[in-house]
Amino acid sequence: MLVIRHFEEELIALHAEGHARGHFHVCIGQEATAVIALSFAGPGDYLFTTHRNHGHLLARGAEPGRLYAEIMGRRDGYNGGKGGTLHTVYPAGGFHHTSSIVGGIIPIAAGTAYAARARNTGALSVCLFGDGALEEGAAPEALNIASLWKLPVLFLCENNGKYGPGAASGAEQSRTMAAYPLTDLPRAYKIPAIQVDGTDAAEVFRAASEAVAKIRRGEGPQFIEAQTVRWPGNESNWPVAPIATRLPLAWDPGPVPERQREWYRSCDPVLLFARELVARNVASREELARIEEEVLAQIDEAAKFAIASPLPDPAEALRDVFAPMERA
Amino acid sequence: MLVIRHFEEELIALHAEGHARGHFHVCIGQEATAVIALSFAGPGDYLFTTHRNHGHLLARGAEPGRLYAEIMGRRDGYNGGKGGTLHTVYPAGGFHHTSSIVGGIIPIAAGTAYAARARNTGALSVCLFGDGALEEGAAPEALNIASLWKLPVLFLCENNGKYGPGAASGAEQSRTMAAYPLTDLPRAYKIPAIQVDGTDAAEVFRAASEAVAKIRRGEGPQFIEAQTVRWPGNESNWPVAPIATRLPLAWDPGPVPERQREWYRSCDPVLLFARELVARNVASREELARIEEEVLAQIDEAAKFAIASPLPDPAEALRDVFAPMERA
Amino acid sequence: MRELAYYEAKLEALREIIAGDDRVHYIADVGTGFMGLSAQRVRFAEIAREFPERVIAPPISELAFCGLAVGAAMAGLRPVVDLITASFALEAWPQIVNEAANAFYMSAGKTRVPVVFHLLHGLRGGGAAQHSHSPQAMLWNCPGLEIVLPSSPRDVKGLLKTAVASDNPTVFIDHTQLFNVMGEVPEEDEPIPFGKADIKRKGADVTVVATSLMVQRSLAAAERLAEEGIEVEVVDPRTLVPLDFETIMASVEKTRRVVVADECHRSCGVAAELLARIAEAGYDKLAAPIRRVARLDVPVPYSVPLEEAISPTEERVAEAIRASVR
Amino acid sequence: MRELAYYEAKLEALREIIAGDDRVHYIADVGTGFMGLSAQRVRFAEIAREFPERVIAPPISELAFCGLAVGAAMAGLRPVVDLITASFALEAWPQIVNEAANAFYMSAGKTRVPVVFHLLHGLRGGGAAQHSHSPQAMLWNCPGLEIVLPSSPRDVKGLLKTAVASDNPTVFIDHTQLFNVMGEVPEEDEPIPFGKADIKRKGADVTVVATSLMVQRSLAAAERLAEEGIEVEVVDPRTLVPLDFETIMASVEKTRRVVVADECHRSCGVAAELLARIAEAGYDKLAAPIRRVARLDVPVPYSVPLEEAISPTEERVAEAIRASVR
Ligand SMILES: Cc1ncc(C[n+]2csc(CCOP(=O)(O)OP(=O)(O)O)c2C)c(N)n1
Ligand SMILES: Cc1ncc(C[n+]2csc(CCOP(=O)(O)OP(=O)(O)O)c2C)c(N)n1
Ligand SMILES: [Mg+2]
Ligand SMILES: [Mg+2]
C-alpha cells in the first residue's frame, strides 16, 4: 500500500514537472482493495484493470521504475511506451490487457474465465473496475453470460463514488445509477454479491478469500463491491496532491483543512492500516517510519530510472500491429 | 385480434406464393397484448415496436392493405416500400420509428418520453419488445436512465419465450437470461414491474390501464411482462401455418395433433377470447362467425389491393436520404 | 478435381477445423449461425449437435459475447464468434474496433488475440436498411484487424482454415448469395495464405479488382463482354488486410484500364481505397480513368426495384468496363 | 472584425443556441463535455449552471443516451448529445449508424431526427490507441448522416448553429488542438451553410484539400512553402456530407496538382475518398499524382516520438506539396 501511495504522489509531481503527458488517474484511497484482494490470485490467473490501474499492477509486483517509464512513454516501460498510463499491460503479473474504455474489460474477463474452464486449468479471472462501469451495457450483458455459464470470475467493483469525506454513507442514492446499492444488479442476474468497506484491509481480506474459494470450488461468478470515499485530491479530472502522505500523519495530521483531516481520520486506507498495525503491536511507529523511508528511496530511484530511460525509436511505431502467422 | 390473426395467416400464404421476400415475423399468439395494451395510448403518444410489428400497427388502426403493400414493397405501402416488414412506420398510429435491431428502440422510447416531459405535452411512450431484447445492453442502460429521470414510458415486454405448448409454466429457467423472472431486471433499477398472462385479455387490460394511469400521474416508468407461449407455427425462422384459424376451432378443434390441440385449448388468445365472449353471453357463436366472415373478406380485399399496387419507381431509391433544411 | 458448392466447402472447412483442434470454440445462435437464413442452415445445426461442448449459443448480447471471445482468445482458445448478419457487428463495435484490434499493439506484442469474427454482409434481397451492412470498409479503417472476403468454394475453405490458424483478430466476411456457386475444391487440406490475390480470370484489356460477391458478378460480366470482344482480367484480393497490391498493380500495368467493384457504400468504401491506391501508384500507367462500382450512398431500401437501383449489379460492372475501353 | 479564440467562438455559439431555442437540450458530462480536457472546460460548466434544466448529465451509457437523444429529436426537441472523446462514439455505434442515419429514409421521409452528435476527434497527444479515434471516415461510409468538421473560429460558430438548425442527424466533429487558433468572427449571427467549401488560402501552384486540424497544419505548411516560392491553395470542405465537390474541382483544375490531408487512418479514410473523387473527375486534368497525407495504418501509440511517427504533421504536408511540384 505504501508503495502505491508514494508511487502515485510522486507521479503527480512528475506529471506537473512535464515528465508525462495526457490525462491519468491515481489509486490513492483505494490501495487496500487492490493489495489485499489480488493477494488471492495465483500465477496462472487472469487479471484485468482499467484507466485506474497503477495500484493494481504494483500490487502484483510490477516494478515502479518500469511502470513510471511506461507512463512517461519511455523505452523501458512495460510496453515500450505503446500503451501508456491508460493501457499498461503486465503479463508477468497476470495483466494481459488493460482497457481505458469504461466497461471494456468486463466481457473480456468473462472470456478468459471461459477459456480457463474449457482448458481445465483451474485458473480464474479477476476483473477490477469502477462503479461507473456498471452503467455501460457491456457490464449487465457480461454479468448475464457469466452467471448463465457459471464462469470462474471475480467481479471486483471499486466504488469510489461516495463523494468526499463526510458524505453520509450507507444506502445513499447515486445520480447515475438506479440499481443502488450496486449489488442489486449482479443479484438480479443471480450472482452472489457483497459490499465491503474498501478501506478496511481485514474486511477486504475476508470477502476476497471467501469469494475466491467459492469460485475455485466451481460455484460460478462472485461479485464484491469495495466502497471507498473519493480522495480529496481526485475530484477534478487532474489529480492534485493536497499534501504528501507520511505515516506520522496517522497520529498527528498537523494543521490541515477539516476535509483533509476527516479523510485522514476515517477514509485513508494507508493511515488506517498503519494505526491498526501499531495498535495491535505488529509494528512500532519507528519501524513503520523506517519502512516508509525505504519506500520513498525506492520510488525516488524508480523515478530517476524512468527519467533516464531513453525515448523509443520512432521506427518502433510501425511494429507490433500484427503477430507473425503461427505455423501449425 | 381477429384482424391480426387473419392478416398474419394470409401473409404466410402470400409469402409462400412469392408476393413478399426477405424474412418476416408474425404476431400469432400475441394478439391480446397488443390490442388491449395499446388501447390505452392516446393520439399524441409515442409507440415503438420491433421486427414483430404487424399486430401492433393493426391494433392502432393501420389499414391491412397498405401494410401488406409495405410488406410486399409496393408503392402504396406506408413507407413506399422503403421500410418493409421489419421497419414499417405509421405515424398516424403513433409509430414514428420501428427498428429490427433487437433492443434498438428501447433508448429511443426513453427519448420521446424525455421530450414529451420537457415539452410538457402529457404524452407518454409505449415501448413494445420481446424477451430477447433484455439481453442487449441497450435495455439495462435505458432502464437505468428512465428510472433515474422518472421518464413517462411504459416498457411492455412480450415474453414469447415459453417454448411450445405443454412446457412447464411458472418460474422456469431461461437458457439465455439469468435475470429470470424477467421482472427482476427492471426491479433492480427500481422500476415497478409485473407479470401478466399475455393471452388473457382481462389481465392485460387491468395491468396496462393501471400502469398507464401511474405514468400519467408522474410516477415514472412502469414495466409489464406479458407472457405468451410460442405459437407452434413459429418455431423455425420461417413461420408455417399449421392450420388456418377459424373461430369454430374454439369449440371443436377437429382432428389435429395433440400439440396443436393443446395450443388451441390453453394458449391461443383469439380462441380463448372467443370462448369467453360466448360464455359470458356477450356474443353468440353465430355472431362471431359473421364477424369472422367480414374480417376474412377485408383481409382478402387488402391482399388484392396490395398485389395490385404498383412497384415503386426506381428513382425513388435516391429520395428521402436527407430532409431539406429547416429555415428558422 | 472434385466440384463442390460453396456452402458445402464452407461447411466442410468448419467441420474439419472444429474436429481438428480442441481449442476451437464456435459461439453462435445455432438456428441461423454460420449459414444465416439460407436453406443450408440445418447443416450447421448438425455440426453443432456433433460438438455440443464447443458450439455454444449465447444470449443476444453481441457486445459481450464478442468480448468473451476476445478474452477466450487471449487465454489460449481459438474462438470463432458469429455475428451472423454483418449489421449486428455494429453492436459489438467497441470490442472489435477498440479492444480486439488494439490489444496486440498496446501490449507491444505481448498479448495475442487469435479470434475470428464471422459476418454475413451485403445486399441479400429484402434485408433493408438495418440488415444489409457491408462493414469491411469501416473495418479497413481500423488497423489491427485482418479482413478476409472469400468468393469461391476453394477460397472459402482455404481462407477459413487460415483465419482460424492466424494469431491475429480476423474478420471473416462472407455473403449468403455466394452459397450456391460451384467450383473446384481439392480433397487435400489447402489453407490459402493471407495477402495473396487470386487472378480469377485472365484478360488483356481491362482489370477488374473485385471482392466477395462482386467477384462472381465481375466474372459473369466478363463472360458477356468477351462476346463483345473485350477481354477482362478479374483480380480478387481475397484479403484486404494484408493486401497483395503487387498482384493488383501487375495486372493494372498490363491492361492500363481499371474498374474497382465492391458492395460497400461508395463514400469511403473498399472501392474508394482500392481506387486511391491504384491512382497513387498508377498515375502515369493508366490509359483511362479508374471507374468505381459500388453501392450508392443511400440507406438500403426494402423493395425489389429500389434495392436494385442502388446495387452494384453485373450490368453496372459491365457498363463500367465498357466505358473504360471506350 | 473582432478576433476571437476558437474556443471562445465555440462557447459563444453554444450559449446563443441554448439561450435562443427552448428545444435545445445538451446531454453531456459537465466536467469534460463540449470542451473535453482542455483548459476551457470550466467555461462549459458555467453554461451548464446557467441552464440546469437543459444541460443534463447522463450515466456512462453512450448507447442509451445517444438513443435517448434520437428519440427526443423525433419528438420535437433539438438535442445535442456529447460523446466527448470521439472514441466513445464507438459505444453508441448502433444508435448513430443504424437508427439515427436510417430513420428518415426507412420512414420514407416521415420521421425527422434533428439530433447533433458532438465528438472530439484525433491525435490529441497521449490519447493512445483507445482515445484517439477519428471516426469521420467510418461515418462517411454511412449515408444519412451530415458530417461537419470545423477548422476556424468563424466556422465553428457558424457551423454549430447550422448543425442545430438542421433537420437531419448531424455529426459535429471537433478537435481540441484547434481551441487556441485565433480568427475573425463577426458580431452578428452568421450560420454557415452546409455544403459550401471555403478557400482558406489562395494559391496557383498546388491545391491542398484538408479537413479539421489539417486545415491549420496545411496553412502553416503553405506559409513555409511560400518562402520556397510555392503558392498553395488550401480548400476546406467544412462539411463532408454534403460535400461541395465543385469548389474542390475548380481549384484542382486551376492548379492541376493536389494533396489531400486528413487525420483518419489512411485506408478507407477521408483522404482516400477525396483522392478517389478527384482522381475520377480529374483524370485528364492533373499534372502530377494526387498525394495523400493521413495517419499511418497502425493503432495509436502513447509515447511522443511514436505518436509523432504516425501523425500527418505539418512537415509531412509540406513534403507532399513539394513532391507534387517537383
Ligand atoms: C466508454 C467510455 N466512456 C467514457 C469514458 C470517460 N471516462 C474515463 S474515466 C470515467 C469515469 C469512470 O468511473 P468509474 O468506472 O467509477 O471509475 P473511477 O474513475 O471512478 O475509478 C469516464 C466516464 C471512457 N473512458 N470510456
Ligand atoms: C442486434 C440484433 N441481434 C440479432 C438479431 C437477430 N434476431 C432477430 S429476431 C431475434 C430474436 C428476438 O427475440 P425476442 O426479442 O424475444 O423477440 P421475438 O422474436 O421472440 O418476438 C434475433 C436474435 C437482431 N435482429 N438484432
Ligand atoms: Mg468510480
Ligand atoms: Mg421472444
Side-chain angles (χ1 to χ4, degrees):
Chain A
M1 288 198 235
L2 210 49
V3 173
I4 299 173
R5 174 63 55 89
H6 289 305
F7 180 94
E8 299 285 42
E9 289 186 345
E10 174 70 15
L11 175 59
I12 293 170
L14 289 166
H15 200 277
E17 288 163 25
H19 287 295
R21 66 173 182 163
H23 68 310
F24 67 107
H25 308 80
V26 297
C27 289
I28 295 177
Q30 305 177 199
E31 293 91 344
T33 312
V35 171
I36 306 297
L38 294 182
S39 68
F40 296 99
D45 293 335
Y46 298 96
L47 315 184
F48 292 93
T49 173
T50 64
H51 58 286
R52 201 178 295 285
N53 60 57
H54 308 156
H56 304 155
L57 271 58
L58 292 170
R60 293 285 294 178
E63 288 171 36
R66 294 199 61 197
L67 190 51
Y68 276 143
E70 186 61 32
I71 296 168
M72 296 182 193
R74 304 304 173 101
R75 202 178 292 178
D76 293 301
Y78 277 111
N79 312 117
K82 281 188 175 150
T85 167
L86 296 172
H87 310 112
T88 313
V89 157
Y90 171 52
F95 293 95
H96 300 273
H97 179 66
T98 300
S99 175
S100 64
I101 292 304
V102 170
I105 51 164
I106 304 184
I108 297 175
T112 50
Y114 176 92
R117 203 198 28 208
R119 297 174 57 216
N120 215 353
T121 65
L124 54 75
S125 300
V126 181
C127 185
L128 290 137
F129 53 89
D131 48 300
L134 293 175
E135 298 163 17
E136 288 283 359
E141 285 190 5
L143 291 176
N144 183 34
I145 296 180
S147 174
L148 289 167
W149 297 354
K150 286 205 170 306
L151 300 178
V153 52
L154 173 60
F155 297 107
L156 181 40
C157 175
E158 297 188 275
N159 181 358
N160 59 4
K162 292 178 142 190
Y163 279 83
S169 65
E172 78 268 35
Q173 296 276 315
S174 156
R175 277 181 310 123
T176 51
M177 190 54 165
Y180 214 83
L182 295 176
T183 45
D184 282 358
L185 190 62
R187 282 184 192 145
Y189 289 107
K190 303 195 171 50
I191 297 177
I194 56 165
Q195 287 186 309
V196 299
D197 178 347
T199 59
D200 182 333
E203 230 186 271
V204 175
F205 183 93
R206 272 192 304 276
S209 66
E210 208 170 289
V212 167
K214 281 187 189 163
I215 295 168
R216 297 226 195 263
R217 283 202 302 270
E219 293 183 27
Q222 307 288 322
F223 188 104
I224 297 174
E225 175 194 343
Q227 299 189 319
T228 56
V229 166
R230 228 167 158 78
W231 168 61
N234 199 20
E235 280 170 9
S236 74
N237 279 290
W238 307 93
V240 182
I243 301 170
T245 303
R246 290 295 179 273
L247 290 180
L249 293 170
W251 299 278
D252 174 13
V256 293
E258 176 52 26
R259 264 168 77 70
Q260 183 75 10
R261 178 187 303 268
E262 165 123 14
W263 196 74
Y264 287 159
R265 186 163 53 227
S266 56
C267 312
D268 183 331
V270 171
L271 301 189
L272 286 170
F273 196 60
R275 276 199 292 268
E276 185 91 0
L277 291 176
V278 171
R280 292 182 183 242
N281 280 321
V282 181
S284 68
R285 294 190 192 187
E286 294 68 35
E287 280 171 299
L288 291 179
R290 216 171 322 117
I291 293 173
E292 185 163 49
E293 283 311 311
E294 283 169 31
V295 168
L296 286 165
Q298 183 194 359
I299 294 297
D300 191 51
E301 210 174 299
K304 288 193 185 120
F305 169 82
I307 291 169
S309 174
L311 287 166
D313 176 359
E316 256 308 310
L318 302 183
R319 294 192 197 112
D320 299 329
V321 182
F322 291 108
M325 198 63 150
E326 186 194 67
R327 291 271 158 253
Chain B
M1 287 199 235
L2 211 49
V3 173
I4 299 174
R5 174 63 54 90
H6 289 306
F7 180 95
E8 298 285 43
E9 290 186 347
E10 175 69 15
L11 175 60
I12 294 170
L14 289 167
H15 199 276
E17 288 163 23
H19 288 295
R21 65 172 184 164
H23 69 312
F24 66 108
H25 308 80
V26 297
C27 289
I28 295 177
Q30 304 177 198
E31 294 90 346
T33 312
V35 171
I36 307 297
L38 295 182
S39 68
F40 295 100
D45 292 337
Y46 298 97
L47 315 184
F48 292 92
T49 172
T50 65
H51 58 286
R52 201 177 296 285
N53 60 58
H54 308 158
H56 304 155
L57 271 58
L58 292 169
R60 293 285 295 178
E63 289 171 36
R66 295 199 60 195
L67 189 51
Y68 275 144
E70 186 62 32
I71 296 168
M72 296 183 193
R74 303 306 172 100
R75 202 178 294 178
D76 294 301
Y78 277 111
N79 312 117
K82 282 188 175 153
T85 166
L86 295 173
H87 310 113
T88 312
V89 158
Y90 171 52
F95 293 95
H96 300 273
H97 180 66
T98 300
S99 175
S100 63
I101 292 304
V102 170
I105 50 164
I106 304 185
I108 297 175
T112 50
Y114 177 91
R117 204 201 23 210
R119 297 173 57 217
N120 215 354
T121 65
L124 53 77
S125 300
V126 181
C127 184
L128 290 138
F129 53 89
D131 47 300
L134 293 175
E135 297 163 16
E136 288 284 357
E141 285 191 5
L143 291 176
N144 183 35
I145 295 180
S147 175
L148 289 167
W149 297 353
K150 286 204 170 305
L151 300 178
V153 51
L154 173 60
F155 296 107
L156 181 40
C157 175
E158 298 189 275
N159 181 358
N160 59 4
K162 293 177 140 189
Y163 278 84
S169 64
E172 78 269 33
Q173 295 278 313
S174 157
R175 277 181 310 121
T176 51
M177 190 54 165
Y180 214 82
L182 295 176
T183 45
D184 282 0
L185 191 61
R187 282 184 191 146
Y189 289 106
K190 301 194 171 53
I191 296 177
I194 56 166
Q195 287 186 308
V196 299
D197 178 347
T199 60
D200 182 334
E203 231 186 89
V204 174
F205 184 93
R206 272 192 304 276
S209 65
E210 209 170 289
V212 167
K214 282 187 187 163
I215 295 167
R216 297 225 195 265
R217 283 202 301 270
E219 293 183 26
Q222 308 287 322
F223 187 104
I224 297 174
E225 176 194 341
Q227 297 189 319
T228 57
V229 167
R230 227 165 158 78
W231 169 60
N234 199 21
E235 281 171 7
S236 74
N237 280 290
W238 306 94
V240 182
I243 300 169
T245 302
R246 291 294 179 273
L247 290 180
L249 293 169
W251 299 277
D252 174 13
V256 295
E258 176 51 26
R259 263 169 77 70
Q260 184 74 11
R261 177 186 305 267
E262 166 124 13
W263 196 75
Y264 287 159
R265 187 162 54 227
S266 55
C267 310
D268 183 329
V270 171
L271 301 188
L272 286 170
F273 195 60
R275 276 198 292 269
E276 185 92 359
L277 290 177
V278 171
R280 294 184 184 241
N281 280 322
V282 181
S284 68
R285 293 191 193 188
E286 293 69 34
E287 282 171 298
L288 291 180
R290 219 172 317 120
I291 293 172
E292 185 163 50
E293 284 311 312
E294 283 168 31
V295 168
L296 285 166
Q298 181 195 0
I299 294 296
D300 193 50
E301 210 174 299
K304 287 195 184 117
F305 168 82
I307 292 169
S309 174
L311 287 166
D313 175 359
E316 257 309 310
L318 302 184
R319 293 193 197 114
D320 300 329
V321 181
F322 291 107
M325 197 63 150
E326 185 193 66
R327 290 273 157 253
Chain C
M1 206 185 290
R2 66 180 176 156
E3 282 235 327
L4 289 184
Y6 187 99
Y7 75 85
E8 290 174 303
K10 188 179 182 190
L11 284 158
E12 183 174 284
L14 184 67
R15 230 208 125 274
E16 290 177 14
I17 287 166
I18 299 184
D21 187 344
D22 264 5
R23 298 172 305 170
V24 176
H25 283 233
Y26 198 97
I27 298 170
D29 176 64
V30 172
T32 55
F34 201 59
M35 304 310 274
L37 294 167
S38 71
Q40 294 82 30
R41 63 190 190 281
V42 290
R43 299 280 301 274
F44 172 65
E46 284 163 27
I47 296 178
R49 271 194 299 278
E50 197 180 338
F51 302 96
E53 311 274 280
R54 292 196 283 123
V55 180
I56 309 284
I60 316 172
S61 309
E62 289 84 2
L63 182 59
F65 70 65
C66 284
L68 179 125
V70 167
M74 288 176 179
L77 297 186
R78 305 223 142 225
V80 183
V81 58
D82 200 339
L83 279 312
I84 311 178
T85 303
S87 303
F88 308 155
L90 304 174
E91 311 288 312
W93 216 244
Q95 286 293 336
I96 300 171
V97 166
N98 217 355
E99 306 293 344
N102 288 332
F104 187 70
Y105 190 83
M106 295 197 304
S107 70
K110 290 183 161 71
T111 301
R112 298 190 175 204
V113 190
V115 63
V116 178
F117 302 100
H118 175 271
L119 281 62
L120 296 168
H121 83 101
L123 299 162
R124 67 191 196 192
Q130 295 193 311
H131 277 64
S132 302
H133 288 87
S134 291
Q136 47 269 39
M138 291 185 182
L139 295 167
W140 199 359
N141 191 239
C142 171
L145 302 171
E146 294 171 336
I147 303 176
V148 186
L149 289 161
S151 72
S152 74
R154 186 175 195 149
D155 289 353
V156 74
K157 183 169 180 193
L159 290 169
L160 190 59
K161 296 227 160 170
T162 307
V164 175
S166 160
D167 262 359
N168 297 302
T170 303
V171 192
F172 191 91
I173 309 184
D174 205 355
H175 202 306
T176 48
Q177 306 277 26
L178 287 166
F179 283 6
N180 290 316
V181 168
M182 298 296 301
E184 293 191 337
V185 181
E187 302 273 358
E188 53 289 359
D189 207 29
E190 185 204 61
I192 292 179
F194 287 181
K196 267 229 161 312
D198 187 35
I199 299 186
K200 286 277 191 299
R201 186 186 200 282
K202 286 220 164 275
D205 299 332
V206 182
T207 296
V208 179
V209 186
T211 66
S212 187
L213 180 59
M214 295 311 295
V215 174
Q216 295 298 333
R217 292 209 176 132
S218 301
L219 289 171
E223 289 303 312
R224 282 213 254 164
L225 291 165
E227 292 165 20
E228 300 174 20
I230 305 171
E231 282 307 327
V232 176
E233 180 144 308
V234 178
V235 183
D236 174 5
R238 297 199 288 202
T239 57
L240 298 178
V241 182
L243 183 72
D244 178 2
F245 192 57
E246 270 164 53
T247 300
I248 293 171
M249 277 314 290
S251 176
V252 168
E253 287 177 29
K254 184 177 78 176
T255 64
R256 306 181 62 232
R257 294 169 195 278
V258 186
V259 171
V260 288
D262 176 81
E263 206 179 309
C264 293
H265 279 115
R266 188 175 182 90
S267 289
C268 288
V270 165
E273 178 61 27
L274 292 170
L275 193 163
R277 291 203 194 188
I278 298 168
E280 286 170 323
Y283 171 70
D284 49 9
K285 301 184 176 102
L286 295 169
I290 308 164
R291 286 179 168 80
R292 176 155 57 145
V293 183
R295 185 188 305 188
L296 299 191
D297 276 338
V298 298
V300 178
Y302 168 81
S303 176
V304 177
L306 302 182
E307 194 188 72
E308 204 279 337
I310 70 154
S311 295
T313 57
E314 179 189 324
E315 184 48 45
R316 290 185 179 112
V317 175
E319 209 28 72
I321 297 169
R322 283 191 202 103
S324 92
V325 291
R326 215 168 276 148
Chain D
M1 206 183 291
R2 67 183 176 155
E3 282 236 326
L4 289 183
Y6 187 99
Y7 75 85
E8 290 174 302
K10 188 178 181 190
L11 284 158
E12 182 175 284
L14 184 67
R15 231 208 125 274
E16 289 177 14
I17 287 166
I18 299 184
D21 188 345
D22 263 4
R23 299 171 305 169
V24 177
H25 283 233
Y26 199 96
I27 298 170
D29 176 64
V30 171
T32 55
F34 201 58
M35 304 309 274
L37 293 168
S38 70
Q40 295 81 31
R41 63 189 190 282
V42 290
R43 298 280 301 274
F44 172 64
E46 284 163 26
I47 296 179
R49 270 196 299 278
E50 197 181 339
F51 302 97
E53 310 274 280
R54 293 195 283 123
V55 180
I56 308 284
I60 316 173
S61 308
E62 289 84 2
L63 182 59
F65 70 65
C66 284
L68 179 123
V70 168
M74 288 176 179
L77 298 186
R78 306 224 141 226
V80 183
V81 56
D82 200 340
L83 279 313
I84 310 178
T85 303
S87 302
F88 309 154
L90 304 172
E91 310 287 312
W93 216 243
Q95 285 292 337
I96 300 171
V97 166
N98 217 355
E99 307 293 345
N102 288 332
F104 186 70
Y105 189 83
M106 296 197 302
S107 70
K110 290 182 160 70
T111 300
R112 299 190 172 202
V113 190
V115 63
V116 178
F117 301 102
H118 175 271
L119 281 63
L120 295 169
H121 84 101
L123 300 162
R124 68 190 197 192
Q130 295 193 310
H131 277 64
S132 304
H133 288 87
S134 292
Q136 47 269 40
M138 291 185 182
L139 295 168
W140 199 0
N141 192 238
C142 171
L145 300 171
E146 295 171 335
I147 304 176
V148 185
L149 288 161
S151 73
S152 75
R154 185 176 195 149
D155 290 354
V156 74
K157 182 168 180 193
L159 290 169
L160 190 58
K161 295 228 160 170
T162 307
V164 175
S166 160
D167 261 0
N168 297 301
T170 303
V171 192
F172 191 91
I173 309 183
D174 205 355
H175 202 308
T176 48
Q177 306 277 24
L178 286 167
F179 284 6
N180 291 316
V181 168
M182 296 298 299
E184 293 191 338
V185 180
E187 302 274 356
E188 53 289 1
D189 206 29
E190 185 203 63
I192 292 179
F194 287 180
K196 269 228 160 311
D198 187 36
I199 299 185
K200 286 276 191 299
R201 185 185 203 281
K202 287 220 163 271
D205 298 332
V206 182
T207 296
V208 178
V209 186
T211 66
S212 188
L213 180 59
M214 296 310 296
V215 174
Q216 295 298 333
R217 292 208 176 133
S218 301
L219 290 171
E223 289 304 311
R224 280 214 254 164
L225 292 164
E227 292 166 22
E228 299 174 20
I230 305 171
E231 282 307 326
V232 176
E233 180 144 308
V234 178
V235 183
D236 175 4
R238 297 200 288 202
T239 58
L240 298 177
V241 181
L243 183 71
D244 178 2
F245 192 57
E246 271 164 52
T247 300
I248 293 171
M249 277 313 291
S251 175
V252 169
E253 288 178 28
K254 184 176 78 176
T255 64
R256 304 180 65 231
R257 294 168 195 279
V258 186
V259 170
V260 288
D262 175 81
E263 206 178 310
C264 293
H265 279 115
R266 187 174 181 89
S267 289
C268 288
V270 164
E273 178 61 27
L274 292 170
L275 194 162
R277 291 202 193 186
I278 298 168
E280 286 170 322
Y283 171 70
D284 48 9
K285 300 182 178 107
L286 295 169
I290 308 165
R291 285 178 169 80
R292 173 154 62 143
V293 182
R295 186 188 305 188
L296 298 190
D297 276 339
V298 299
V300 178
Y302 168 80
S303 175
V304 177
L306 301 182
E307 195 188 70
E308 203 280 338
I310 70 155
S311 296
T313 56
E314 179 189 324
E315 183 48 43
R316 290 185 179 111
V317 175
E319 208 29 71
I321 296 169
R322 282 189 204 105
S324 92
V325 292
R326 214 169 276 146

